[in-house]
Amino acid sequence: MTKQVHGQTGAHAPLSRRDFLTRAGLTVGAAAAAAAVPGAAYAVQEGVIGDWAADGSKAVDVPDSAVTNASWSDGTYREHNGAAFPADDASPIPPRAVPATWDCECDICVVGAGGGGLNAAARAAEQGARTICVEAMGLHGGNAQEAGMCAILGGSKLQESKRFAFPSYPFDARKLADWAIDEYHYACDPLLIHRIAEAGGTCIDWMADCGVRWRLGEVPVYVAPKNSTLDHHVLKMKDATDAMFSFGQKHGVQYLFQSPAEALVQDGDGRIVGVVVREDYGAEKYIHAKKGVILTAGGFCNNKSLLDKYIPTAAMGCASSYLTAGETGECFRMGLGVNADVSGFNSSASFDGGVDWEAEGGQWARFLYDGMTQLSRQPWFTIDRAGNRLRYMDSRVGEDGANAIYALGDLATIQMTPPGHRSYIVFDAHYEDHLAGFAQEHCRKLITPDLEQIEKVPEHYRDWHHGVQDAIEADVLKKRDTLEELERDLGFEEGILTEAVEKWNACCERGEDDFMYPMPPEWLHAIKDPPFYGCRIGGNLYGTKAGLMINDEMQVISTKGTVIPGLYAGWHTAGGACGENSYIGDPILGSLLGDVSLAFCGGYLCGTYAVANEMKGGE
């Protein structure tokens, strides 16, 4: 039984939803982003984008950005606008009792049909388990389809053929685990880290056997090719998720789309024996999962209350989440409801620069690639709220390519941690003249009509200028006739921005930057001619590392330290790989393998161990 019905969208007063999305540019990029979660999926009613309005009305009072940005009484805490978040509830979801009758039965039920869920379902079915996979959206792939590369660090056949492994060749899982544990400052689960390192290449080879065609230079090689940009990094994972979906179908997986999970079912012995779903967003159905339930439907990047409670640094420092397909935390909350422990408190990972649409009343959850996002990542004059310069991490590729990979995450960390928890970029009327000289690579390359697979980008965004114009019209990118006006409307105290620009212009005239981390001379462009432009930026949150505690066989652990029978979790519902207070920005260090590959690997392990432990006696 395969149901794949696309959802309907609601409206958000005073704009229609269509107008709002046009202005905000929320769904740009992949097929997954183009299918919005139906309005009923975790919202209070059709036409409301969440449940944040205190009186339950559709109209939400969004404060001016100057009031909401780095504006707490002591100037150090940035309050979130609830209106921009798809979800705002941190309460545990209690389990249901076993019903008198079940609506359908299976051995394994997988919650979520993203990269991890597709792998978990396919792996379980391949090993003989009758498997049902439920998904809230109207199609498979989830956030994996918004990603472009899979960063397995060694051990796959393709990498072996190229004599590649990290941190050294030949591949050694223990060496990789030791390197990662050291990078985590030992705040991690070493057994789980080693399991991931050991299984990464195996997972990739298994997916290749299932029909995924890995391409050298795109995935899964860690060191990026020198000329790779959006055309190599974006919109590739759809091929992988399509292949795994097809493989699951061939092995009998039943996919229930537009059927969000509502609660776990727990029997009197504490075992998880099923899932309650709302099939087609209608009546509740009880699925009897006799052998186990696997939770893979994401973390909580888009749940305001969960971020505030479990990852406050991300709540304060990130400008947005680029995971537009869900990530509202229901799986995590279901785990809390059965007394699962939490691992990785205050741990997350962020990616490159992001534009602060949320502070202007726009959406928090936005796709990673649009013209304004790409423009914001260039080496503009960048300061914090006090006017201090911020370091820029260059993404131009060196001899080994690694510097570019690290820069994508390190820049996010820099932007998230200045005084006042927000960074600002400023440039003048000549900004377009400087872009070629910046020569930024990879995910900072501007979207242009000649890129490979450009047909997968919505037509409106195939030219980066359109995204920039959308931001100007929404006043996210502020366009002002004077620096004084720009200073005021960005929320600076009088004199901070104008004095910082004056000092910057003096450096540009000398042709030598006096900052501790100086810009190359070719990047020194004075800010003199109106109109002047500026916007707030920060990291793009792409992974919650706080999650349900699991062991190295992906079993969920209770607050008593014991396994919750029948319950497994993959990323990003699970935590555990990293310990407390780790908000590493780098996309490799942040999750050991990179988030897409971590989801793939976690799903593979979940399917493997759920069948081994629950159906084969622990083989």
Side-chain angles (χ1 to χ4, degrees):
M1 174 171 59
T2 301
K3 296 187 178 181
Q4 195 160 357
V5 183
H6 292 275
Q8 305 298 312
T9 56
H12 174 45
L15 298 173
S16 71
R17 182 169 175 82
R18 181 177 180 181
D19 289 340
F20 183 85
L21 293 180
T22 299
R23 286 182 58 182
L26 173 61
T27 53
V28 299
V37 177
Y42 315 131
V44 291
Q45 63 188 70
E46 184 72 18
V48 178
I49 309 181
D51 55 2
W52 42 78
D55 60 359
S57 66
K58 296 181 181 180
V60 179
D61 182 19
V62 179
D64 293 338
S65 61
V67 176
T68 62
N69 221 28
S71 64
W72 206 242
S73 58
D74 62 359
T76 59
Y77 185 84
R78 176 176 167 272
E79 185 181 14
H80 275 3
N81 293 342
F85 282 76
D88 186 13
D89 189 349
S91 62
I93 298 175
R96 306 284 185 87
V98 175
T101 58
W102 297 91
D103 294 292
C104 52
E105 297 202 16
C106 61
D107 295 319
I108 302 290
C109 183
V110 178
V111 180
L118 291 172
N119 273 17
R123 179 63 172 161
E126 180 187 42
Q127 296 179 102
R130 292 180 300 157
T131 306
I132 293 176
C133 181
V134 301
E135 168 59 47
M137 294 185 68
L139 77 171
H140 64 274
N143 285 307
Q145 294 199 73
E146 297 190 358
M149 63 181 294
C150 177
I152 298 296
L153 302 187
S156 71
K157 293 177 182 178
L158 175 59
Q159 290 167 321
E160 285 293 316
S161 70
K162 299 300 178 182
R163 300 180 64 81
F164 169 84
F166 188 88
S168 61
Y169 187 85
F171 175 72
D172 185 323
R174 177 60 184 267
K175 288 182 179 179
L176 174 56
D178 287 345
W179 168 82
I181 292 166
D182 181 65
E183 292 290 341
Y184 283 126
H185 302 284
Y186 299 89
C188 61
D189 179 341
L191 294 178
L192 183 55
I193 290 288
H194 185 262
R195 182 75 73 186
I196 298 166
E198 192 177 47
T202 302
C203 171
I204 289 298
D205 290 341
W206 171 75
M207 292 177 70
D209 292 340
C210 294
V212 176
R213 297 178 61 189
W214 301 115
R215 301 175 181 87
L216 184 64
E218 295 166 9
V219 286
V221 177
Y222 167 64
V223 177
K226 185 168 185 176
N227 295 322
S228 66
T229 55
L230 178 141
D231 50 329
H232 288 283
H233 274 31
V234 182
L235 312 178
K236 298 293 188 181
M237 286 300 108
K238 185 179 187 303
D239 299 337
T241 55
D242 285 350
M244 296 312 302
F245 174 65
S246 177
F247 184 82
Q249 284 184 312
K250 291 176 183 177
H251 285 77
V253 176
Q254 296 181 353
Y255 297 94
L256 300 181
F257 292 99
Q258 291 194 306
S259 300
E262 295 282 291
L264 296 171
V265 180
Q266 190 172 37
D267 67 16
D269 296 326
R271 183 176 182 82
I272 305 304
V273 294
V275 180
V276 181
V277 303
R278 279 194 295 122
E279 190 172 17
D280 294 327
Y281 290 97
E284 289 188 343
K285 296 292 180 69
Y286 279 70
I287 299 175
H288 188 193
K290 295 186 292 184
K291 300 300 182 181
V293 172
I294 299 173
L295 301 175
T296 71
F300 48 88
C301 287
N302 297 325
N303 187 312
K304 174 181 180 290
S305 292
L306 286 174
L307 284 181
D308 284 341
K309 184 173 182 178
Y310 293 99
I311 315 180
T313 51
M316 289 188 290
C318 291
S320 64
S321 157
Y322 78 70
L323 301 180
T324 58
E327 293 290 318
T328 45
E330 281 70 27
C331 275
F332 180 73
R333 293 170 57 209
M334 285 190 285
L336 296 179
V338 294
N339 295 318
D341 205 348
V342 175
S343 180
F345 176 80
N346 204 28
S347 297
S348 62
S350 293
F351 183 84
D352 224 330
V355 180
D356 197 346
W357 290 77
E358 178 264 338
E360 306 293 346
Q363 286 283 19
W364 161 261
R366 298 181 52 80
F367 185 64
L368 183 61
Y369 294 91
D370 66 58
M372 185 60 235
T373 303
Q374 304 304 91
L375 188 69
S376 74
R377 294 170 172 170
Q378 306 306 312
W380 305 116
F381 175 62
T382 308
I383 59 174
D384 65 18
R385 191 167 57 94
N388 300 311
R389 287 273 304 280
L390 299 180
R391 184 178 185 178
Y392 184 81
M393 304 299 294
D394 191 355
S395 73
R396 292 177 297 183
V397 183
E399 291 183 2
D400 62 359
N403 64 316
I405 295 294
Y406 280 97
L408 301 180
D410 289 344
L411 189 64
T413 304
I414 292 168
Q415 292 174 350
M416 285 170 57
T417 54
H421 304 288
R422 186 51 78 239
S423 307
Y424 304 81
I425 55 171
V426 179
F427 45 86
D428 73 1
H430 304 294
Y431 67 92
E432 193 163 348
D433 298 336
H434 309 320
L435 296 172
F438 291 152
Q440 293 300 285
E441 294 285 354
H442 305 293
C443 301
R444 300 178 192 171
K445 185 69 176 289
L446 294 171
I447 302 172
T448 53
D450 59 343
L451 291 180
E452 180 187 348
Q453 298 198 27
I454 193 66
E455 72 279 358
K456 293 185 179 180
V457 178
E459 187 172 357
H460 176 69
Y461 284 101
R462 294 179 188 179
D463 185 332
W464 66 271
H465 295 85
H466 293 167
V468 175
Q469 187 58 40
D470 285 350
I472 292 172
E473 291 177 1
D475 204 33
V476 171
L477 176 61
K478 298 187 184 300
K479 178 182 179 181
R480 299 294 186 266
D481 292 329
T482 68
L483 281 172
E484 288 77 11
E485 291 177 298
L486 186 63
E487 179 179 68
R488 178 196 66 205
D489 293 342
L490 283 174
F492 287 100
E493 284 296 302
E494 184 177 352
I496 288 180
L497 175 60
T498 54
E499 291 174 12
V501 168
E502 183 179 358
K503 182 178 179 180
W504 166 255
N505 287 347
C507 291
C508 295
E509 291 173 4
R510 291 195 306 269
E512 183 178 352
D513 191 358
D514 62 1
F515 184 45
M516 182 180 294
Y517 306 103
M519 292 279 202
E522 65 269 24
W523 288 358
L524 299 178
H525 303 295
I527 302 170
K528 291 186 175 181
D529 296 325
F532 301 99
Y533 299 85
C535 74
R536 301 171 181 84
I537 58 173
N540 273 298
L541 179 63
Y542 78 88
T544 50
K545 304 309 171 191
L548 304 181
M549 180 178 285
I550 59 172
N551 62 17
D552 66 325
E553 295 188 355
M554 314 303 286
Q555 295 170 299
V556 177
I557 305 299
S558 74
T559 54
K560 297 180 179 179
T562 57
V563 167
I564 298 176
L567 187 60
Y568 293 75
W571 284 277
H572 290 83
T573 301
C578 60
E580 312 299 281
N581 291 296
S582 173
Y583 52 101
I584 302 170
D586 181 84
I588 304 302
L589 303 186
S591 57
L592 179 64
L593 301 180
D595 270 36
V596 182
S597 43
L598 187 69
F600 284 151
C601 183
Y604 170 80
L605 289 172
C606 279
T608 298
Y609 283 110
V611 172
N613 293 332
E614 313 300 337
M615 298 180 65
K616 297 183 178 181
E619 293 179 7

